[in-house]
Amino acid sequence: MKTVRPLGLYIHIPFCKAKCVYCDFYSLPHGEDRMDAYTDALCAHLTEAAPLAASHTVDTVYFGGGTPSYLGEKRLCKILKVIEKRYQVARDAEITLEANPDSAGDWKALRALRRCGFNRISLGMQSACDEELRTIGRVHTMEQVQQAVEAARKAKIQNLSLDLIYGLPHQTQERWMENLAAAVALNPEHLSCYGLKVEEGTPLFAMKDTAGLPGDEEQADMYLQTVEFLKQYGYEQYEISNFAKPGRESRHNL
């Protein structure tokens, strides 16, 4: 008798409105004219690769990017339907969509995604400070973060994660803790907190000596404060950068 093994799928959606100054992932800003062709090619590739996964049960699907939410709910649902048709997807599979707050404020669109099968949203909050967001090239505001969280809850999405970055240009420990407190106040089930990495070839790398970046010791202190602070609010650390309320750990991360 064959053993059915678990399988996690990562689906890369490379489109975004604008490239952040720290991003070294493959992404295509202003690539709207390629979205339909990319969606069709991705569906064809998923179909082609499906026989290789015949002995596996898909227990987690993660749509990352880029900005997957920027692709729109119709294209996203089309891709997910191909996965559900061609692969053995577990009934309780965790299906995550990364989203930027500016493209996740429509609760009806989020409801359509939930009905299609997406049951977890990871919002790229990054900071609660609009000035910090502008400095790193983010196109959303803190108000849009709040609106996106409200939209997700109205759409009955019950598993929400927020991404934050510490060690941003000119960021103090006090400011970072304010950002963290603002995120906790939104009551997500999960938080991912990443130390800023300056990658070669990015705009941030070119100006790293004048960007006012916190040093390694300062960033380490921010990390230690994060662990202690989130523990007080019931978020247990289960990975170096990931914190969750009991039972809300991301299966894809695990």
Side-chain angles (χ1 to χ4, degrees), residues 101-202:
D102 58 289
S103 57
D106 182 350
W107 76 272
K108 290 183 179 178
L110 295 180
R111 181 180 63 183
L113 288 166
R114 178 182 59 78
R115 288 175 173 173
C116 179
F118 289 91
N119 52 32
R120 186 173 182 271
I121 298 288
S122 178
L123 273 180
M125 174 179 170
Q126 314 312 3
S127 171
C129 172
D130 287 350
E131 183 181 350
E132 285 186 342
L133 291 170
R134 286 193 298 271
T135 297
I136 59 175
R138 301 293 289 179
V139 295
H140 72 271
T141 63
M142 181 54 190
E143 183 179 5
Q144 287 176 310
V145 173
Q146 295 166 329
Q147 291 169 349
V149 170
E150 289 175 12
R153 297 312 192 191
K154 189 172 181 180
K156 294 184 168 55
I157 291 171
Q158 298 175 348
N159 198 355
L160 179 68
S161 179
L162 298 178
D163 278 12
L164 292 102
I165 301 176
Y166 56 89
L168 298 177
H170 304 291
Q171 188 177 65
T172 62
Q173 286 179 282
E174 291 75 19
R175 171 61 62 79
W176 164 243
M177 294 309 293
E178 289 170 5
N179 288 346
L180 203 54
V184 168
L186 294 172
N187 199 30
E189 283 72 33
H190 186 282
L191 285 158
S192 294
C193 301
Y194 303 101
L196 179 67
K197 288 186 177 180
V198 182
E199 303 286 359
E200 193 169 351
T202 62

Side-chain angles (χ1 to χ4, degrees), residues 218-247:
E218 290 174 277
Q219 198 175 106
D221 288 341
M222 291 178 185
Y223 166 72
L224 293 172
Q225 283 185 310
T226 300
V227 174
E228 193 60 36
F229 181 83
L230 291 181
K231 189 173 183 179
Q232 294 173 21
Y233 286 90
Y235 294 92
E236 291 296 325
Q237 184 181 26
Y238 70 97
E239 262 193 355
I240 188 74
S241 303
N242 290 301
F243 305 80
K245 291 184 176 178

Side-chain angles (χ1 to χ4, degrees), residues 57-61 89-95 117 119 251:
T57 296
V58 174
D59 63 351
T60 171
V61 184
V89 180
R91 290 179 65 86
D92 65 343
E94 174 190 272
I95 302 176
N119 52 32
R251 268 186 269 169

Side-chain angles (χ1 to χ4, degrees), residues 34-87:
R34 304 188 196 181
M35 286 182 175
D36 286 332
Y38 184 83
T39 299
D40 290 343
L42 184 54
C43 289
H45 180 62
L46 282 163
T47 299
E48 180 184 49
L52 300 174
S55 62
H56 294 73
T57 296
V58 174
D59 63 351
T60 171
V61 184
Y62 194 99
F63 284 69
T67 308
S69 53
Y70 195 37
L71 195 63
E73 70 270 20
K74 289 183 180 178
R75 296 186 189 97
L76 290 167
C77 287
K78 179 179 179 178
I79 296 166
L80 186 56
K81 284 176 182 175
V82 169
I83 293 171
E84 291 175 336
K85 181 179 180 180
R86 301 294 182 182
Y87 294 76

